[in-house]
Amino acid sequence: MAIPRLTADDVACWVLKTGADVAELAGAPEGEAVPLARCVHPTYRLGLVRPGQPVLLWRSGRQAGVRAVGQVLAAPAGGAVRVALRRLAEPVPRADLLADARFRAAEVVRVPMGANPSYLTAVQLAAVAERLAPAAGWPSPGGAGAAVP
């Protein structure tokens, strides 16, 4: 059985996974976007990644959940994608997201060992956005796909 390929219409947000907190974000002032290069696996998905698309940083493991939000800065090149990420003052825990039926089927939950990048649908992104502190400013519920200033 063939696994269906993603299309641009399937992706409301890219997800980049990490096993630990990102040191470059730890020292950044709250709300400040930090430009970073994150490793990505060379697949057809990289052809769908565009500057301005929303991206979130997902920490895996015991402390799993959303740690930072931002946007893609440049198309992937050389095995990495350039993004600007803002650390969340209050991470969104995996357990909180799993309590929402809209999020339970997210690829990052179904295939936790999958390579970067992963993705969220518009419905899954709405479940995350509703749990972000208003100060996160990204994206507003119903505003999936909105660029981060």
Side-chain angles (χ1 to χ4, degrees), residues 7-29:
T7 69
D9 291 339
D10 297 322
V11 179
C13 174
W14 292 107
V15 178
L16 298 173
K17 294 176 276 188
T18 183
D21 285 332
V22 177
E24 296 92 337
L25 294 176

Side-chain angles (χ1 to χ4, degrees), residues 90-101:
E90 294 294 325
V92 181
R94 177 182 186 269
D96 289 359
L97 291 166
L98 289 178
D100 190 321

Side-chain angles (χ1 to χ4, degrees), residues 8-75:
D9 291 339
D10 297 322
V11 179
C13 174
W14 292 107
V15 178
L16 298 173
K17 294 176 276 188
T18 183
D21 285 332
V22 177
E24 296 92 337
L25 294 176
E30 190 174 328
E32 181 177 311
V34 177
L36 300 168
R38 302 298 299 169
C39 292
V40 288
H41 188 73
T43 72
Y44 77 93
R45 289 182 177 194
L46 299 186
L48 301 174
V49 178
R50 302 276 185 267
Q53 290 176 312
V55 63
L56 61 82
L57 182 69
W58 177 270
R59 178 165 178 185
S60 302
R62 290 184 191 179
Q63 299 175 357
V66 178
R67 291 296 207 250
V69 297
Q71 70 179 8
V72 174
L73 293 177

Side-chain angles (χ1 to χ4, degrees), residues 3-6 11 13-17 43-45 58 94 98 102-121 124:
I3 298 172
R5 291 171 69 102
L6 290 178
V11 179
C13 174
W14 292 107
V15 178
L16 298 173
K17 294 176 276 188
T43 72
Y44 77 93
R45 289 182 177 194
W58 177 270
R94 177 182 186 269
L98 289 178
R102 297 173 298 171
F103 191 81
R104 287 185 202 133
E107 185 178 60
V108 72
V109 173
R110 290 183 293 108
V111 190
M113 300 296 282
N116 282 333
S118 189
Y119 74 100
L120 295 179
T121 65
Q124 294 161 349

